[in-house]
Amino acid sequence: MFAKAFRVKSNTVIKGSDRRKLKADISAAFPSLSGDELSELIPNKEELNVVKIYAHKGEAVTVYVLHKNPLFFELEKRLYPTVYVLWRYPHLLPTFRTWPPVLQKLIGGADLMLPGVMVPSSGLPDVKEGDCCAVTVVSNGAPVALGTAAMSSAEMQSLGMKGRGLCVLHTYMDYLWAFGDKSGPPSLPDPESEGQDVDEVECDVIEKEEDDVVEKCVEEQESSGESAMNRTCSGVEELSLAEKEEEKDEKGSEKEEENQDDQKTPQEIMDTLLLQCFLHALKSKVKKSELPLLTSTFLRIHMFSCCPSGKQLDIKKSSYKKLSKFLQAMQQQHHLVRVKELTKGVESIVEVDWKNPELRSFSIPEETDVEAAVVQDGGEGEITYHPPEIKTLYSVPARLEPLFLDANKRKGTTLHAAEVRSIVTEYVKKNELVDENNKNYVTINPTLCDCLLEKSEYQEVESLKWDDLFSRTMGRMQECYQVVFPGQASIIKKGHVEPIDISVASRGSNKKVTLIKNLEVYGLDPAVVATALQHRVQASSVLHPIPGAKDKILVQIQGNQIHQVGNLLLDHYQIPRKYIQGLDKAPKTGKKK
């Protein structure tokens, strides 16, 4: 599930009531945890974050994070521990053992097949279909993966240990693990080891059971043959969790580099990104014939388009704070460009040193033109957005239930307007309530009197027009709305559908910001919309949780951007205009007299 990068929807601090509910849910899901162990996992006074993400296939997952490490993730209202929890409590789940080469395939997103499972002398753990299970490798008792059993242990043995064993959800070294501190698994004793040398056991298995263990044990296996086996053999020492310290030289150097990156401050990371985009733009975008080039144009047209995928270029988050200071450093320290103020208050790049060693040695990364990609995809990545179909419904209240009983519609039943009119018409005709003298009127019987008339009207109103009858009926029903996304089950909610609200607010003396809310109602991710707008208008954007509104995010973007927001929602996302509020607040573009 986490073999590919996921998308973060929101990251908020858990509330006290939700923390207590989480502890109760964990206790119910994993009864073997004692009260003290549960308090260690979910402490009362330490900050615990709730991160809502979308996996690469679109699954909605909730992750609970403590001290920057994911502890549990919730999928379809079921809790699963991460490897960080399993390393602290390795006996929390039933465990299946496999060979280190198999782990490489599990990390790649494959499921665990039964030929790759080692059956211990005590037999397989007693599990039922759907039970959550852990996976360990030979020579180390620390779990390195977890998933759900594809069948019961009895069925596994009756099928001769063939077929799918575990549907793997999460592994060591996948993107959920990388969301934490990226620590390695501890070395825990393996009770099933017989004292035989690990490397010797692995080589025996690979040589003798090449077809069973490597070709059958994991789905999505590479093509068979010596090349696949050589790759598997070469991966044994890298993936084995029982490696000795002297075998970790190369890994140690890699980890040092990773640690150095992790130790960088956000400001230093942004400085590095700025320099990379600057060099990339000079080497691949700027032509000599374009000089002199406005510095603002250089940033907006060239540097932003060179920003790598998944990152955002923001000078305010760097140590330079302003473009002019950054270009001054590029001129005085790196001697890459010469900047001059050709007109008062407007700077331009007038010269570029194309022979500069730093510029000549810079290699252009493969990923380019992120801005165009974001605008084209609307920020949705692999998932193509389709607007929902929204319909108005009416719910039957207790007072009107007698009117709908003949149609077997009870209290709480939701109906379309046409269905309401049809049922009321059928009721009137069945009870012969149409006025004989004027068929435009309906005679009021006791049921209609109780359902539709006010007390003051009981003695006065004896008949109603058809239109008045229908309007009174719908006016006394609870209005609802139905949201249907393509390929998904419909969602029905009470009340009126909230439109996407666009407004402009003042910040400071003369600064304006555009605020957008209620995007979630229409299946739009606020973070994705913010990124798309940021690239369209070249302005900074911020996400804020809306106080008092659960799971709702406010998008704030610098300046009055109502025109651009409207174009994105109407043209790209194809949201009907009637569901967008505030487009009339856009700045006027007429000529000044």
Side-chain angles (χ1 to χ4, degrees):
M1 173 173 283
F2 305 107
K4 294 183 180 180
F6 52 78
R7 181 159 51 88
V8 176
K9 177 185 176 184
S10 63
N11 187 344
T12 56
V13 178
I14 197 170
K15 299 177 183 177
S17 57
D18 292 336
R19 186 191 297 262
R20 291 190 291 273
K21 182 179 182 301
L22 175 63
K23 291 179 76 170
D25 291 343
I26 294 173
S27 179
F30 308 102
S32 59
L33 285 173
S34 65
D36 292 339
E37 291 172 335
L38 192 59
S39 297
E40 287 180 9
L41 273 176
I42 313 294
N44 290 327
K45 295 186 178 180
E46 295 187 32
E47 186 173 292
L48 182 70
N49 286 58
V50 182
V51 183
K52 297 195 174 184
I53 65 174
Y54 289 121
H56 68 280
K57 289 186 178 180
E59 304 99 324
V61 184
T62 303
V63 183
Y64 298 95
V65 180
L66 179 70
H67 300 151
K68 297 184 179 180
N69 273 348
L71 299 182
F72 293 89
F73 64 95
E74 185 176 347
L75 175 65
E76 296 179 351
K77 297 184 179 180
R78 182 176 179 182
L79 281 171
Y80 300 90
T82 65
V83 290
Y84 292 106
V85 170
L86 293 177
W87 292 341
R88 294 168 64 180
Y89 306 103
H91 303 295
L92 187 63
L93 300 176
T95 304
F96 290 85
R97 295 170 72 236
T98 188
W99 303 101
V102 176
L103 177 59
Q104 185 181 22
K105 302 301 177 185
L106 301 184
I107 292 172
D111 290 334
L112 179 64
M113 306 303 280
L114 290 175
V117 175
M118 289 188 63
V119 181
S121 56
S122 57
L124 291 173
D126 184 19
V127 298
K128 298 177 182 178
E129 182 179 352
D131 283 358
C132 188
C133 306
V135 179
T136 62
V137 293
V138 175
S139 77
N140 194 343
V144 291
L146 68 97
T148 56
M151 62 184 80
S152 66
S153 50
E155 289 176 306
M156 294 179 187
Q157 292 175 331
S158 64
L159 292 175
M161 296 301 289
K162 293 181 181 179
R164 191 193 313 273
L166 251 67
C167 300
V168 176
L169 297 174
H170 162 51
T171 67
Y172 161 59
M173 292 183 72
D174 68 4
Y175 279 86
L176 183 59
W177 166 83
F179 197 63
D181 60 15
K182 300 182 182 178
S183 57
S187 295
L188 300 178
D190 182 7
E192 294 296 330
S193 294
E194 298 178 355
Q196 191 176 2
D197 184 68
V198 174
D199 293 334
E200 183 181 335
V201 172
E202 292 169 358
C203 290
D204 287 342
V205 171
I206 292 172
E207 290 175 5
K208 295 179 182 179
E209 302 181 7
E210 177 176 322
D211 294 332
D212 290 338
V213 176
V214 179
E215 293 181 4
K216 296 181 183 179
C217 67
V218 182
E219 284 188 335
E220 300 174 9
Q221 182 66 301
E222 298 174 354
S223 58
S224 59
E226 293 182 0
S227 61
M229 288 308 305
N230 290 337
R231 280 193 293 273
T232 306
C233 290
S234 65
V236 169
E237 293 198 347
E238 183 183 353
L239 296 166
S240 173
L241 304 178
E243 287 176 330
K244 298 178 181 178
E245 291 298 325
E246 58 266 26
E247 293 173 342
K248 294 185 178 178
D249 293 340
E250 293 184 2
K251 280 190 174 183
S253 62
E254 290 175 3
K255 286 182 180 178
E256 285 178 6
E257 292 178 4
E258 288 181 3
N259 290 337
Q260 287 177 0
D261 290 339
D262 292 339
Q263 290 171 0
K264 283 185 178 181
T265 64
Q267 203 173 67
E268 291 172 339
I269 294 172
M270 186 56 67
D271 287 350
T272 305
L273 182 61
L274 264 177
L275 180 60
Q276 176 188 324
C277 295
F278 177 77
L279 294 172
H280 187 174
L282 288 182
K283 193 161 186 175
S284 65
K285 303 286 184 180
V286 179
K287 297 178 182 179
K288 194 172 183 179
S289 59
E290 294 180 357
L291 300 179
L293 178 65
L294 289 174
T295 56
S296 58
T297 304
F298 174 70
L299 174 67
R300 186 176 69 255
I301 302 300
H302 299 308
M303 284 186 65
F304 273 113
S305 65
C306 295
C307 185
S309 177
K311 296 184 179 180
Q312 293 183 2
L313 197 61
D314 192 344
I315 291 181
K316 291 183 179 180
K317 293 181 181 178
S318 70
S319 60
Y320 303 101
K321 304 300 181 186
K322 293 182 179 180
L323 177 62
S324 57
K325 289 186 178 180
F326 170 72
L327 292 174
Q328 189 177 7
M330 295 299 103
Q331 176 176 315
Q332 296 177 358
Q333 298 173 18
H334 296 260
H335 308 291
L336 286 162
V337 294
R338 188 162 67 89
V339 180
K340 191 175 180 181
E341 190 175 303
L342 297 179
T343 56
K344 188 176 181 180
V346 180
E347 291 185 334
S348 300
I349 298 175
V350 296
E351 187 179 333
V352 177
D353 185 4
W354 307 104
K355 296 181 180 180
N356 185 289
E358 187 176 3
L359 182 60
R360 295 183 68 179
S361 62
F362 176 77
S363 58
I364 298 173
E366 293 181 3
E367 292 187 44
T368 58
D369 212 356
V370 169
E371 181 191 1
V374 170
V375 173
Q376 179 182 351
D377 296 336
E380 283 290 328
E382 296 177 0
I383 302 171
T384 303
Y385 175 82
H386 296 285
E389 182 182 357
I390 301 174
K391 297 179 180 178
T392 301
L393 301 178
Y394 297 89
S395 175
V396 178
R399 180 177 175 180
L400 267 63
E401 190 174 18
L403 184 57
F404 290 89
L405 278 180
D406 290 344
N408 293 322
K409 305 299 182 185
R410 301 286 178 178
K411 177 186 173 183
T413 305
T414 54
L415 304 166
H416 295 280
E419 292 178 295
V420 175
R421 293 174 70 93
S422 176
I423 291 172
V424 172
T425 302
E426 188 64 28
Y427 176 84
V428 170
K429 290 181 178 179
K430 184 178 179 181
N431 290 275
E432 300 178 350
L433 298 176
V434 180
D435 194 318
E436 294 180 358
N437 299 322
N438 189 345
K439 296 188 182 297
N440 292 328
Y441 284 84
V442 175
T443 304
I444 301 298
N445 69 352
T447 300
L448 291 178
C449 179
D450 292 340
C451 292
L452 303 180
L453 299 185
E454 301 293 341
K455 287 185 177 180
S456 59
E457 297 175 322
Y458 283 179
Q459 304 299 327
E460 299 175 2
V461 179
E462 296 180 354
S463 62
L464 292 172
K465 282 188 175 182
W466 279 102
D467 289 344
D468 194 10
L469 181 72
F470 293 137
S471 62
R472 283 178 181 247
T473 303
M474 292 182 181
R476 282 165 173 72
M477 297 181 76
Q478 169 71 56
E479 190 169 330
C480 310
Y481 64 93
Q482 181 186 46
V483 183
V484 182
F485 289 95
Q488 298 183 24
S490 62
I491 302 170
I492 297 176
K493 295 186 178 180
K494 293 182 179 180
H496 298 276
V497 61
E498 294 180 287
I500 296 175
D501 184 69
I502 309 171
S503 59
V504 176
S506 297
R507 296 287 186 268
S509 58
N510 194 27
K511 290 184 179 179
K512 294 186 181 297
V513 293
T514 303
L515 307 175
I516 314 155
K517 61 182 180 181
N518 298 333
L519 292 167
E520 299 89 346
V521 176
Y522 301 86
L524 292 171
D525 186 345
V528 172
V529 174
T531 302
L533 285 170
Q534 185 173 7
H535 285 278
R536 280 197 172 204
V537 304
Q538 302 302 325
S540 62
S541 62
V542 186
L543 300 178
H544 298 292
I546 299 177
K550 189 177 180 182
D551 299 333
K552 286 198 174 182
I553 301 296
L554 177 75
V555 177
Q556 174 182 307
I557 189 159
Q558 192 174 19
N560 187 335
Q561 310 294 352
I562 290 182
H563 271 311
Q564 292 289 350
V565 176
N567 291 339
L568 182 68
L569 296 176
L570 292 170
D571 299 337
H572 184 81
Y573 291 117
Q574 297 179 349
I575 303 293
R577 184 177 288 270
K578 65 180 179 179
Y579 296 125
I580 304 175
Q581 178 178 291
L583 292 176
D584 55 324
K585 299 173 186 174
K588 306 297 181 184
T589 56
K591 292 183 180 180
K592 294 182 180 179
K593 293 184 180 179

